[in-house]
C-alpha cells in the first residue's frame, strides 16, 4: 500500500464547521504494509526482494519508484482492483484524520520463475501479512511450507490473513493480535498455545513498551525488556511500523545464524530505537503537494542554499522534531551519495548537510581535489529534494558546526564504527545519536575521477 503523510499545524477552526483547519507544511509518501518492511530491510541489507501484489495504477507505479530508489527489487504478483492508499493528516505530530482508498486483492496464478528462484535463494524470508490475500494463495503457501525446513521464515500474522505455514522459525503477533487468535486462553498461556497451533519453532508476542515474550519449541517462556532504549526519544505517539521493524530485524538476525533468544533481543532493541527516532513517519520521502489522488495547499519550499542551518535546527528542536545531519566532501555526486542522503533524511524531519570547504578537501585528498568548488558542490546538494539545508565547514572533521547544530542524529556512511569518528563525542554531548549506514558497493568519487582522467585507448595509441 502507499502511505501519504500530510504534516502541518492547526491554529484555527473552520468557519464552516467546528473542526480544525490544518495548514499543510510537508507532504510525504512512503511504502506501507509489506513495502515498509522491505524499505526498512534495505536500510541495512543488500539484495532485498519484495514479492507482493501490486496494481498497475498511478499509486502502484509510485510505490515501485519509491522501493526501487531505496534498493528494493520488486517482483509483482497479479492483483485485482486498485492500490490501497492511506492518507494520514497530522498537526504538530498529533493525528487528525486518516483516509483509506483502494481495494486491491491478490489473484491466484502460478508463480513465475523469478519469484520461485528469489524465494529458494533467500537467506531469510519475512512474511508481512496485511490481510490482502497473498498469504492465502495456494502456490505461495506450498513453496513457503517446503522452504521453511531450510530457510528461516519469520511470519508477522494478521487477523484477516491466513494462518502461518507449519515450521516457521518465528511467528510474531502483537499482544492484541495474540488475544484475537487465542480468545479462550489466559495471557500467560497464549504464546505456547499459538506455537503448538501453528507448529512453529517459536512464537514471540510483542508488547509495545513492555518488550516481548518469547516461547520456544524446547519449552519455557522468556521475557525480553526494552530497557533504556524506550527512553531514547521523547515518548513519541507514532508507533506505526514498529512491528515491521521488529519482524525484519528478527529475520535478518535469524538468517545470520543467531539463536531465537538473541534474535528476539536484537529485534526488540531495533524496534524501540525505530520508534524513538520517529517511527514510520521518519521514513517518508517529501513530494510535491499534488499526489495521484490528492491536492493540498503547501507552503513554498525555501531554497536550502538560503536556509540558516543553525536556526533551522533550533526551530525544529523547539517543535519537538528530529534533526538529522550528515557531512562529507561530495566531490562528484554519485548513486552512493544519493542513497545515503535519502536514507539519512528518512531518519528524521529535516536533513542538514555539512560540506567540506575546498581547503579542507585539499588537505584530505591532496593536490587536484576537489574537482568541483565548494559553492558548486553545495548548490548541487541543495537541489536534492531530501536536503533541507547546506552549510560549508573548514577543517578535516565537523566538530565545530556540529556543536552549533546539535543534531538528534549524525549519519556517516561506510565501514566506520561510531567510536571511530572524532566528532561522535560532540554529537553525544548534546544528546545526539551516531548512525552508520552501509555504502553502495562500487561507487566512489575518487574512482570516478580516476576513470574520467585515464587516457582513452585512442590517446594511448
Amino acid at each position: 500500500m502507499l502511505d501519504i503523510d500530510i504534516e502541518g499545524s492547526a491554529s484555527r477552526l473552520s468557519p464552516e464547521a467546528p473542526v480544525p483547519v490544518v495548514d499543510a507544511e510537508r507532504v510525504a509518501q512512503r511504502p506501507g504494509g509489506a513495502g515498509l518492511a522491505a524499505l526498512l530491510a534495505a536500510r541495512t541489507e543488500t539484495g532485498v526482494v519484495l514479492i507482493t501484489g501490486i496494481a498497475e495504477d498511478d499509486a502502484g507505479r509510485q510505490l515501485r519508484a519509491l522501493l526501487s530508489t531505496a534498493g528494493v527489487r520488486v517482483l509483482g504478483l497479479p492483483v485485482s482492483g486498485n492500490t490501497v492508499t492511506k492518507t494520514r493528516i497530522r498537526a504538530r505530530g498529533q493525528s487528525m484524520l486518516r483516509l483509506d482508498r483502494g481495494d486491491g486483492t491478490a489473484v491466484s496464478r502460478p508463480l513465475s520463475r523469478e519469484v520461485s528462484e528469489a524465494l529458494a535463494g533467500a537467506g531469510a524470508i519475512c512474511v508481512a501479512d496485511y490481510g490482502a490475500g497473498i498469504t492465502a494463495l495456494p502456490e505461495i503457501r506450498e513453496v513457503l511450507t517446503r522452504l521453511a525446513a531450510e530457510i528461516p521464515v519469520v511470519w508477522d500474522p494478521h487477523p484477516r490473513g491466513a494462518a502461518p505455514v507449519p515450521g516457521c522459525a518465528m511467528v510474531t503477533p502483537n499482544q492484541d493480535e495474540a488475544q484475537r487468535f487465542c480468545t479462550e486462553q489466559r495471557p500467560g498461556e497464549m504464546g505456547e498455545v499459538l506455537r503448538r497451533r501453528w507448529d512453529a519453532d517459536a512464537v514471540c508476542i510483542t508488547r509495545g513498551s513492555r518488550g516481548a515474550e518469547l516461547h520456544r519449541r524446547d519449552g519455557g517462556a522468556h521475557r525480553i525488556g526494552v530497557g533504556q532504549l524506550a527512553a531514547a526519544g521523547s515518548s513519541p505517539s507514532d508507533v506505526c511500523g514498529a512491528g515491521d521493524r521488529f519482524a525484519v530485524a528478527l529475520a535478518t538476525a535469524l538468517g545470520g545464524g543467531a539463536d531465537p533468544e538473541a534474535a528476539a533481543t536484537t529485534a526488540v532493541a531495533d524496534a524501540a530505537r525505530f520508534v524513538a527516532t520517529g517511527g514510520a513517519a521518519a521514513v517518508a520521502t517529501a513530494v510535491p503537494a499534488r499526489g495521484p489522488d490528492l491536492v493540498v495547499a503547501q507552503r513554498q519550499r525555501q531554497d536550502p542554499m538560503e536556509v540558516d542551518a543553525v536556526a533551522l535546527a533550533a526551530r525544529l528542536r523547539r517543535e519537538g522534531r528530529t534533526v538529522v545531519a550528515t557531512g562529507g566532501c561530495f566531490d562528484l555526486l554519485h548513486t552512493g551519495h544519493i542513497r545515503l542522503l535519502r536514507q539519512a533524511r528518512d531518519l528524521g524531519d529535516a536533513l542538514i548537510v555539512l560540506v567540506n570547504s575546498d581547503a579542507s578537501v585539499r588537505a584530505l585528498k591532496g593536490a587536484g581535489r576537489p574537482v568541483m568548488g565548494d559553492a558548486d558542490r553545495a548548490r548541487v546538494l541543495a537541489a536534492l529534494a531530501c536536503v533541507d539545508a547546506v552549510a560549508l565547514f573548514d577543517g578535516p572533521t565537523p566538530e565545530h558546526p556540529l556543536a552549533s547544530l546539535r543534531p538528534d542524529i549524525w549519519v556517516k556512511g561506510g565501514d566506520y564504527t561510531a567510536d571511530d569518528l572524532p566528532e561522535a563525542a560532540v554529537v553525544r554531548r548534546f544528546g545526539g545519536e551516531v548512525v552508520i549506514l552501509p555504502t553502495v558497493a562500487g561507487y566512489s568519487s575518487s574512482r570516478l575521477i580516476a576513470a574520467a582522467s585515464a587516457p582513452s585507448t585512442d590517446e594511448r595509441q
Side-chain angles (χ1 to χ4, degrees):
M1 62 190 72
L2 179 66
D3 285 352
I4 300 174
D5 296 331
I6 302 176
E7 300 275 359
S9 57
S11 57
R12 66 190 192 280
L13 293 178
S14 169
E16 298 142 358
V19 295
V21 175
V22 177
D23 293 314
E25 298 170 352
R26 178 174 180 260
V27 180
Q29 295 180 347
R30 56 182 164 83
L36 176 60
L39 183 69
L40 295 173
R43 290 169 68 177
T44 58
E45 305 299 315
T46 58
V48 175
V49 179
L50 173 62
I51 298 169
T52 188
I54 190 162
E56 293 300 327
D57 54 16
D58 286 343
R61 285 186 283 274
Q62 179 66 13
L63 270 174
R64 286 183 181 272
L66 289 168
L67 289 162
S68 176
T69 301
V72 177
R73 178 185 173 208
V74 179
L75 298 180
L77 300 176
V79 295
S80 63
N82 301 318
T83 299
V84 175
T85 302
K86 297 187 176 183
T87 302
R88 296 193 300 170
I89 301 175
R90 297 188 299 184
R92 302 289 178 159
Q94 176 65 48
S95 293
M96 308 293 288
L97 181 69
R98 195 181 94 176
L99 304 173
D100 290 4
R101 297 186 63 184
D103 57 357
T105 55
V107 176
S108 180
R109 295 282 191 278
L111 298 182
S112 69
R113 181 177 177 180
E114 262 191 318
V115 169
S116 298
E117 289 179 348
L119 287 167
I125 298 172
C126 180
V127 180
D129 190 357
Y130 276 82
I134 295 291
T135 58
L137 297 176
E139 41 282 309
I140 287 288
R141 297 188 66 80
E142 185 279 327
V143 70
L144 289 177
T145 300
R146 175 169 46 82
L147 292 175
E150 308 165 10
I151 299 169
V153 175
V154 172
W155 195 294
D156 191 9
H158 193 286
R160 295 197 307 269
V165 301
C168 287
M170 193 88 73
V171 184
T172 63
N174 63 35
Q175 184 78 26
D176 290 341
E177 290 166 345
Q179 289 173 343
R180 293 176 69 176
F181 290 131
C182 203
T183 56
E184 71 279 10
Q185 299 296 326
R186 290 179 297 181
E189 300 172 348
M190 291 188 302
E192 180 55 25
V193 169
L194 290 174
R195 193 204 61 73
R196 290 198 302 267
R197 179 183 301 174
W198 292 329
D199 190 21
D201 290 345
V203 165
C204 192
I205 300 175
T206 56
R207 305 165 72 232
S209 61
R210 294 175 294 160
E213 186 177 283
L214 175 66
H215 296 261
R216 299 178 61 167
R217 187 183 294 274
D218 53 13
H222 181 75
R223 293 185 181 273
I224 301 168
V226 175
Q228 297 301 312
L229 287 168
S234 53
S235 301
S237 58
D238 185 9
V239 297
C240 177
D244 295 303
R245 176 68 266 180
F246 178 84
V248 163
L250 196 57
T252 301
L254 291 172
D259 65 60
E261 186 175 326
T265 301
T266 297
V268 166
D270 277 8
R273 189 178 300 109
F274 174 75
V275 172
T277 54
V283 191
T285 299
V287 294
R290 189 174 299 274
D293 299 304
L294 179 71
V295 179
V296 298
Q298 186 182 33
R299 296 176 187 174
Q300 184 66 34
R301 181 175 185 261
Q302 188 175 358
D303 184 348
M305 285 291 289
E306 301 174 358
V307 174
D308 182 329
V310 174
L312 172 65
R315 176 175 64 81
L316 291 172
R317 281 197 302 273
R318 288 194 300 271
E319 295 173 357
R321 302 194 183 189
T322 301
V323 178
V324 183
T326 189
C329 300
F330 299 102
D331 197 12
L332 291 191
L333 204 63
H334 55 67
T335 296
H337 290 141
I338 299 299
R339 185 169 178 186
L340 172 73
L341 292 167
R342 291 195 59 145
Q343 288 178 324
R345 179 60 179 79
D346 288 345
L347 296 175
D349 297 300
L351 175 62
I352 298 171
V353 182
L354 303 179
V355 182
N356 291 74
S357 68
D358 290 346
S360 175
V361 175
R362 278 193 294 273
L364 290 168
K365 306 287 187 179
R369 299 287 297 274
V371 172
M372 294 174 59
D374 46 24
D376 288 332
R377 286 183 281 125
R379 194 170 291 110
V380 170
L381 288 163
L384 300 176
C386 58
V387 175
D388 297 279
V390 181
L392 296 171
F393 72 94
D394 288 311
T397 54
E399 286 96 335
H400 181 70
L402 285 173
S404 300
L405 284 175
R406 304 184 184 185
D408 299 289
I409 302 172
W410 170 247
V411 173
K412 289 294 287 183
D415 299 324
Y416 303 101
T417 65
D419 292 337
D420 291 335
L421 301 173
E423 65 269 25
V426 175
V427 175
R428 290 169 176 155
R429 185 191 313 155
F430 297 106
E433 177 187 3
V434 178
V435 173
I436 307 297
L437 295 177
T439 54
V440 180
Y443 290 93
S444 159
S445 293
S446 297
R447 185 179 300 175
L448 290 173
I449 293 167
S453 302
S456 66
T457 302
D458 291 341
E459 289 173 336
R460 289 196 299 269
Q461 291 175 346

